[in-house]
Amino acid sequence: EALETPPKQPRPRPKSETAQESTKALLMEMQQNVPTLAGRVADFLWHDLDDVRQVGKLAPVQELLLSGREMQLQVMVGIKENRLVVDDAGGRYAKMCAHLEQRFPKAWRDSRKLCVTNTREADLKAARDLMASW
């Protein structure tokens, strides 16, 4: 009995990137090129804590941090790197950092390994900014 070749099956085409995936990839690439970018975006998306305390509401920056682990780490690194360049005389950026550190402690801790700057440098700058505003 002769063996027959099975009919050819078309190969599945690779899925094209969704708009969300391509946006995420673009943001990740930009973060690599401009380390403070995510910190700047987070600062832009930040709302005062009074807005966040409303029942069932998240600040847009928190929604961004919930979009995935890799994005969360990149944003945390950007926030930390941006602490050295942001003008925070009013303490708004420091409040955002404290809030996010409290809400996302594991990501905040894990992002330390990826940072170029260190917390001590950022804390010194924050203290200088605070003193300059008095």
Side-chain angles (χ1 to χ4, degrees):
E1 195 170 309
L3 295 174
E4 290 187 29
T5 306
K8 290 188 175 186
Q9 298 291 330
R11 292 184 181 177
R13 292 183 179 172
K15 289 183 178 180
S16 61
E17 283 187 319
T18 64
Q20 184 178 16
E21 289 170 337
S22 61
T23 301
K24 181 179 175 181
L26 178 63
L27 282 173
M28 298 298 245
E29 182 181 340
M30 291 170 67
Q31 174 68 19
Q32 294 298 320
N33 294 328
V34 184
T36 61
L37 176 68
R40 293 175 187 194
V41 170
D43 190 24
F44 176 76
L45 294 174
W46 180 247
H47 290 286
D48 291 335
L49 290 176
D50 293 336
D51 294 340
V52 176
R53 289 187 183 142
Q54 292 178 15
V55 178
K57 276 191 105 177
L58 290 175
V61 70
Q62 289 175 296
E63 292 176 11
L64 177 64
L65 289 168
L66 293 172
S67 66
R69 177 73 176 154
E70 188 177 348
M71 177 65 78
Q72 191 177 65
L73 287 173
Q74 291 293 332
V75 170
M76 290 295 191
V77 169
I79 289 169
K80 290 178 176 185
E81 297 296 335
N82 199 44
R83 289 186 296 184
L84 287 176
V85 295
V86 73
D87 178 18
D88 194 30
R92 193 176 72 80
Y93 198 83
K95 287 178 189 173
M96 177 187 70
C97 291
H99 179 81
L100 295 176
E101 180 179 12
Q102 181 184 17
R103 294 288 189 262
F104 300 93
K106 183 169 177 21
W108 190 267
R109 258 190 331 273
D110 293 349
S111 67
R112 283 186 190 129
K113 300 170 198 161
L114 305 172
C115 288
V116 175
T117 60
N118 63 44
T119 302
R120 183 174 180 273
E121 291 174 37
D123 288 347
L124 284 171
K125 183 191 177 299
R128 286 185 192 118
D129 287 349
L130 185 60
M131 296 302 286
S133 69
W134 284 26

